[in-house]
Amino acid sequence: MILSLLLSGFLTFVELNCENMFDYTHDVGKHDTEYLPEATRHWTKKRYWHKLNNIAQELLSCSSDNAGIPDLIALCEVENDSVMRDLTKRSLLRNAGYEYLMTSSPDERGIDVALMYSPYSFAPIRSYGIRVEPIEGMRATRDILYACGETVSGDTLHVFVVHQPSRFGGEKFSRPFRKVVADRVCASVDSIRTLSSEAKVMIAGDFNDAADSPSLLQYYQHGLMNITKDAVGDNGVKGTYRYQGEWESIDHILGSAYIYNKVDTAYVHAPLFLLEEDAGYGGYRPRRTYVGPRYQSGYSDHLPLIVRFTF
């Protein structure tokens, strides 16, 4: 594996919102009862394991002949450590050798973010969750995951995984909540740069905002560039998420100048098995686990972003 990476010179980074990757037991103090066997969704052990293996299949399909399996994977909407342990050690990914880092957030529903990594290509030096203090009218949100590690090339890479607040209540009402998260990330990036002005920084996740939104502009003002701004996929896919027939790119991978200049390819991963026909609007949409209350054993309402770097 190490020899393969060194020969290819590629490092593959994937970002995916898994859409409600809950286990089937109750976490005390969390509003996760919707995903229990006796709830209206009938979220059973069988459905849980089907979801895990679907996500595992989706991530393995992000592999390539010349770069192998993904080296780093940023995940949003994973419930807890048990889910990540099952995904990496007991699902179809069990032989891939992945390890993971994740947050333990005050989010009301109990969802968190995580970073999966191949220990052959990324060696963590330190990691921790960064708490976001809510402002007036804002619910407790996901922590930001920070991880610093060394790649096979010897570079020190600083990675932030974020899941900014949704647009619940409307874009204008919720805009300040996403700004709070962007403020917190940018402050951390600035702190890293005081120690190393040429630090190699990546930020990935579900921003719940488009590339030209105020929260994304804030990142750009701190010297971060949107690697996936123009990313599209096969089969007419023009974003990572589809709402009422319109493709949106609300998932992003950002990087500092050095990282940006190392990009080989950046695209939305959209093979047909992750899609279904959109009967109402035409074309395709992501094949998700539920459509309303109806279970359909799909994958996620988001599609993965893939970026391959040359190091």
Side-chain angles (χ1 to χ4, degrees):
M1 178 71 73
I2 295 176
L3 180 60
S4 173
L5 180 65
L6 289 172
L7 288 175
S8 71
F10 288 110
L11 185 143
T12 302
F13 193 106
V14 172
E15 184 278 337
L16 173 66
N17 181 320
C18 300
E19 189 192 19
N20 296 320
M21 197 156 72
F22 285 87
D23 62 22
Y24 53 93
T25 60
H26 177 50
D27 278 1
V28 177
K30 300 298 184 181
H31 297 168
D32 62 354
T33 53
E34 183 181 5
Y35 285 89
L36 295 175
E38 63 274 16
T40 54
R41 289 189 184 273
H42 304 293
W43 189 243
T44 61
K45 180 178 181 180
K46 181 179 179 180
R47 289 183 175 184
Y48 167 66
W49 278 103
H50 191 77
K51 171 83 171 185
L52 284 183
N53 283 319
N54 272 0
I55 294 297
Q57 179 191 15
E58 182 170 3
L59 295 174
L60 287 172
S61 74
C62 296
S63 306
S64 71
D65 292 338
N66 62 344
I69 63 173
D71 300 287
L72 291 160
I73 303 173
L75 299 177
C76 298
E77 291 198 20
V78 292
E79 185 182 18
N80 52 37
D81 185 79
S82 295
V83 170
M84 287 303 303
R85 186 169 62 250
D86 285 343
L87 179 65
T88 55
K89 307 304 180 187
R90 301 177 67 193
S91 77
L92 293 175
L93 285 173
R94 60 186 175 274
N95 294 322
Y98 284 116
E99 302 293 340
Y100 65 91
L101 306 164
M102 74 176 305
T103 56
S104 181
S105 302
D107 177 82
E108 292 178 355
R109 297 178 67 227
I111 58 173
D112 281 287
V113 300
L115 180 69
M116 286 171 48
Y117 63 93
S118 169
Y120 298 109
S121 48
F122 183 78
I125 298 169
R126 60 185 177 276
S127 66
Y128 48 83
I130 301 172
R131 187 60 47 90
V132 178
E133 294 300 327
I135 60 175
E136 185 178 354
M138 177 182 176
R139 295 180 294 182
T141 191
R142 280 74 61 174
D143 288 352
I144 301 152
L145 175 63
Y146 167 72
C148 170
E150 185 176 347
T151 66
V152 170
S153 63
D155 291 304
T156 298
L157 187 61
H158 302 268
V159 181
F160 295 85
V161 185
V162 304
H163 186 183
Q164 294 190 163
S166 73
R167 295 191 172 196
F168 182 78
E171 189 281 327
K172 186 175 181 180
F173 169 78
S174 59
R175 186 185 303 169
F177 308 153
R178 290 184 293 283
K179 183 180 184 302
V180 168
V181 176
D183 283 340
R184 194 70 182 86
V185 176
C186 290
S188 296
V189 171
D190 290 346
S191 295
I192 291 169
R193 284 182 171 149
T194 61
L195 300 175
S196 175
S197 60
E198 301 300 319
K200 301 167 181 65
V201 179
M202 293 181 64
I203 304 169
D206 179 354
F207 291 73
N208 274 305
D209 260 338
D212 59 354
S213 66
S215 75
L216 268 295
L217 295 176
Q218 195 169 336
Y219 290 102
Y220 308 154
Q221 290 166 3
H222 286 258
L224 297 158
M225 303 178 187
N226 196 329
I227 296 167
T228 55
K229 179 180 179 181
D230 299 315
V232 296
D234 294 335
N235 301 303
V237 169
K238 299 177 182 179
T240 56
Y241 182 81
R242 203 172 201 218
Y243 179 69
Q244 295 184 349
E246 297 294 330
W247 285 105
E248 300 178 359
S249 290
I250 58 176
D251 303 275
H252 305 278
I253 299 175
L254 313 180
S256 54
Y258 177 91
I259 296 294
Y260 186 83
N261 290 327
K262 292 292 183 179
V263 174
D264 178 71
T265 55
Y267 59 97
V268 180
H269 185 53
L272 279 175
F273 79 91
L274 294 180
L275 304 172
E276 64 182 8
E277 291 185 5
D278 190 337
Y281 297 97
Y284 290 105
R285 64 184 182 188
R287 180 174 176 80
R288 57 192 303 179
T289 306
Y290 285 90
V291 176
R294 179 171 59 86
Y295 177 72
Q296 63 167 16
S297 70
Y299 297 82
S300 172
D301 59 347
H302 291 242
L303 294 170
L305 282 172
I306 301 178
V307 179
R308 290 197 173 92
F309 301 92
T310 55
F311 279 98

